[in-house]
């Protein structure tokens, strides 16, 4: 049965249930992906002994495959056996950093898709134009602050990393509304292509050797949010990731204003941000 076959009130209820279920399924899949990514990094960087996690890894991989299949997605982790992953990293990556980077690169596209499903799970009019706003970014910063203040364990600190990364994704959408896609790209970029829009933003507003450190700060903030999401982090790293995102948001706001973009910040939020927002 489709929504159009139901009475108006029932159709709305059906859509809410359907979209809510998809968001819940995507959230569950993201949790499984977080777990297996953390486990892969742990065993590949001198953490737990590989023989002690074999069964846990196999179960996780099967659960993740089933969970993603329900969303018509493929499991981005190709190894269903942890020893196969060990063979791959030993053959290709000599350093811990290279192994962590490779695992993140494997998982990131699926993370982005799952986050879009989670963020899009609330009922909205598909014909309503709702661009990203500074107010929306500021609300998410406040939610990140509350999460940081309440976090007491690894799960909580990793949740701070997820929120930080989601803020960066939303910020990239705002960037996409302020910028034009360069001519010559092989395909039309979507608003959710966060890293691509970051690159376009930096090439527009922070080009040249004099801005090299600023570009490194933007890229480093993204990487820190990813690491906080996936790795065995503590309160200090979660705090650093959150503060870096706040600074990046406010720097982007200032850069867009100085570049002449038609951007208006929320005049009320910045003064009350517990994370130390410096601008209104």
């Amino acid at each position: 049965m489709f929504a159009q076959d139901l009475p108006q009130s029932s159709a709305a209820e059906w859509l809410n249930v359907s979209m809510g279920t998809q968001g819940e399924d995507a959230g569950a899949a993201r949790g499984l992906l977080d777990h297996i990514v953390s486990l892969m990094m742990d065993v590949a960087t001198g953490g737990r002994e590989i023989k002690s996690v074999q069964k846990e890894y196999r179960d996780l991989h099967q659960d993740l495959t089933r969970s993603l299949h329900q969303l018509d997605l493929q499991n981005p982790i190709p190894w269903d056996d942890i020893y196969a992953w060990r063979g791959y990293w030993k053959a290709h990556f000599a350093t811990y950093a290279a192994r962590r980077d490779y695992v993140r690169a494997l998982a990131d596209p699926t993370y982005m898709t799952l986050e879009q499903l989670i963020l899009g799970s609330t009922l909205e009019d598909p014909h309503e134009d709702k661009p990203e706003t500074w107010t929306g970014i500021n609300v998410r910063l406040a939610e990140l602050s509350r999460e940081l203040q309440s976090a007491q364990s690894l799960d909580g600190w990793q949740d701070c990393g997820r929120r930080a990364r989601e803020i960066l994704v939303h910020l990239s959408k705002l960037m996409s509304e302020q910028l034009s896609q360069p001519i010559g790209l092989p395909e039309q970029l979507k608003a959710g292509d966060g890293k691509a829009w970051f690159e376009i933003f930096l090439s527009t507003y922070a080009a040249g050797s004099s801005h090299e450190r600023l570009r490194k700060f933007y890229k480093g903030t993204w990487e820190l949010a990813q690491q906080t999401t996936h790795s065995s982090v503590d309160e200090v790293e979660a705090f650093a990731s959150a503060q870096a995102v706040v600074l990046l948001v406010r720097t982007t706001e200032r850069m867009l204003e100085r570049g002449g973009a038609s951007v208006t910040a929320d005049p009320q939020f910045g003064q009350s941000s517990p994370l130390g927002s410096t601008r209104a």
Side-chain angles (χ1 to χ4, degrees):
M1 180 178 292
F2 295 94
Q4 63 266 29
D5 300 324
L6 299 170
Q8 184 174 0
S9 59
S10 298
E13 182 179 353
W14 181 88
L15 282 169
N16 274 317
V17 170
S18 175
M19 297 174 76
T21 299
Q22 185 182 61
E24 291 170 1
D25 289 346
R30 186 179 65 177
L32 291 168
L33 186 56
D34 281 339
H35 195 165
I36 200 168
V37 163
S38 296
L39 189 58
M40 292 173 69
M41 289 184 178
D42 194 32
V43 298
T45 57
R48 297 164 64 182
E49 291 188 7
I50 193 168
K51 64 182 180 182
S52 70
V53 301
Q54 169 74 325
K55 183 179 186 307
E56 179 183 359
Y57 179 88
R58 281 184 171 175
D59 291 344
L60 271 174
H61 194 275
Q62 291 174 2
D63 291 345
L64 177 61
T65 298
R66 284 193 292 264
S67 184
L68 290 173
H69 181 73
Q70 292 177 342
L71 298 164
D72 293 325
L73 298 175
Q74 296 288 326
N75 190 338
I77 310 301
W79 307 282
D80 59 6
D81 184 283
I82 193 73
Y83 286 96
W85 161 230
R86 184 180 67 173
Y88 190 86
W89 94 57
K90 283 184 174 293
H92 293 86
F93 308 112
T95 67
Y96 287 175
R99 296 167 192 174
R100 284 192 293 265
D101 289 345
Y102 180 75
V103 175
R104 292 189 191 107
L106 273 180
D108 272 353
T110 303
Y111 271 118
M112 297 291 286
T113 301
L114 292 173
E115 284 170 4
Q116 291 301 313
L117 290 173
I118 293 167
L119 293 170
S121 63
T122 55
L123 181 61
E124 296 181 355
D125 182 354
H127 300 292
E128 183 180 1
D129 185 16
K130 298 185 69 174
E132 189 60 66
T133 65
W134 286 112
T135 299
I137 297 291
N138 289 332
V139 168
R140 291 180 176 88
L141 287 175
E143 292 171 347
L144 171 59
S145 175
R146 289 191 291 270
E147 183 72 36
L148 181 64
Q149 291 173 0
S150 64
Q152 300 292 328
S153 65
L154 178 59
D155 284 344
W157 298 323
Q158 288 180 332
D159 282 340
C160 291
R162 279 189 285 271
R163 286 188 182 273
R165 190 178 58 197
E166 288 171 4
I167 289 169
L168 296 177
V169 171
H170 281 278
L171 184 64
S172 73
K173 291 182 180 179
L174 191 148
M175 291 175 178
S176 75
E177 293 158 10
Q178 304 294 326
L179 299 167
S180 298
Q181 179 171 320
I183 298 174
L185 293 184
E187 59 184 20
Q188 183 69 28
L189 289 177
K190 298 178 181 179
D193 293 331
K195 287 187 176 180
W197 283 112
F198 263 64
E199 291 290 342
I200 295 171
F201 172 80
L202 291 172
S203 68
T204 303
Y205 288 93
S209 59
S210 63
H211 293 111
E212 180 180 1
R213 289 183 177 85
L214 183 59
R215 294 194 298 272
K216 287 182 178 179
F217 163 68
Y218 270 72
K219 295 174 183 179
T221 299
W222 192 288
E223 291 171 359
L224 182 57
Q226 298 282 58
Q227 178 179 326
T228 305
T229 301
H230 304 315
S231 303
S232 297
V233 296
D234 58 20
E235 180 183 4
V236 172
E237 288 166 301
F239 178 83
S241 178
Q243 288 288 12
V245 167
V246 171
L247 179 57
L248 187 149
V249 167
R250 298 306 169 205
T251 302
T252 301
E253 182 180 1
R254 179 65 63 86
M255 290 167 72
L256 286 170
E257 288 177 346
R258 289 189 63 183
S262 56
V263 178
T264 302
D266 181 353
Q268 301 295 323
F269 179 83
Q271 298 173 356
S272 61
S273 171
L275 279 173
S277 168
T278 58
R279 279 183 50 76

